Amino acid sequence: MTATPNGYVTVIWETKAKPGKEANLMAFITAAVTPSRNDAGNIDYEAHEVDGQPGAFVIYERWETREHLDAHLSAPRMQDLVPQMLDLIDGSIEDGITLLRPFRPTH
């Protein structure tokens, strides 16, 4: 992932719970939202469940810089959460990550 042209970084993370772990993953994500919003450089951090797809989730987050995102990802609490998350999700964390770059017309 790299920073967008105007500096901020937008990340979309999509994941699906392992069968039978839908409520556990929702609770896990819910507990992670506020601490992530309080991390330095966070602009937005929003969690969503996909309508009509119980157990499918999308996290939308924006960070002031790539350095802020990297600091968030390497925070001790995040490192502690990864094994717990892997027990709840179907697939890998990396498979669900998408980076967005904004663009605007010149006129």
Side-chain angles (χ1 to χ4, degrees), residues 8-97:
Y8 71 86
V9 177
T10 303
V11 178
I12 304 287
W13 182 58
E14 300 178 69
T15 194
K16 187 156 180 61
K18 289 180 179 175
K21 298 197 176 190
E22 297 84 358
N24 297 51
L25 182 56
M26 180 180 267
F28 180 89
I29 291 170
T30 300
V33 169
T34 299
S36 294
R37 286 179 178 164
N38 289 326
D39 282 346
N42 180 258
I43 300 169
D44 292 311
Y45 198 99
E46 300 294 333
H48 307 272
E49 185 173 30
V50 178
D51 190 32
Q53 297 181 41
F57 300 94
V58 176
I59 306 289
Y60 170 86
E61 50 189 287
R62 285 192 310 154
W63 299 89
E64 291 177 12
T65 66
R66 175 58 194 254
E67 290 76 22
H68 286 106
L69 171 61
D70 289 345
H72 162 73
L73 295 173
S74 63
R77 86 166 185 284
M78 295 299 289
Q79 299 307 306
D80 292 342
L81 294 177
V82 168
Q84 298 169 41
M85 188 182 312
L86 290 172
D87 184 52
L88 299 172
I89 66 171
D90 189 16
S92 75
I93 295 169
E94 294 81 11
D95 288 345
I97 295 174

